[in-house]
Amino acid sequence: MAHLSTYFSLEHPASSHDAKELKRELDTLPGVTSVSVSGERLAVDYDSTGVRREDIRQKVQSLGFGIQGAE
């Protein structure tokens, strides 16, 4: 089991409603253990045997949140 953390810079600061939505949706991914949103910064702790960083990035973008520096 590999416990990792990943960080994303959102294109726009997340409102409190957006932060709750991000947390709720990312918590549904298998392996995600913690989600923290502060302004434009998103931090996710996860177990790499359950989810990949790319899966987390795709989920964030599918929810309509842009990520700075994303391809």
Side-chain angles (χ1 to χ4, degrees):
M1 225 190 274
H3 295 283
L4 302 172
S5 296
T6 189
Y7 305 91
F8 298 99
S9 293
L10 302 174
E11 289 182 346
H12 303 286
S15 68
S16 61
H17 173 76
D18 291 341
K20 287 178 187 175
E21 179 184 7
L22 276 167
K23 180 167 176 33
R24 181 178 62 247
E25 292 295 327
L26 291 175
D27 279 341
T28 66
L29 293 175
V32 170
T33 57
S34 172
V35 178
S36 174
V37 184
S38 179
E40 295 175 1
R41 185 149 170 96
L42 170 63
V44 182
D45 296 328
Y46 64 101
D47 177 347
S48 64
T49 61
V51 68
R52 299 173 305 140
R53 182 182 192 278
E54 179 64 16
D55 298 328
I56 297 167
R57 185 189 66 78
Q58 287 178 353
K59 182 70 166 182
V60 171
Q61 290 181 314
S62 76
L63 294 168
F65 297 95
I67 296 173
Q68 292 180 13
E71 301 159 3

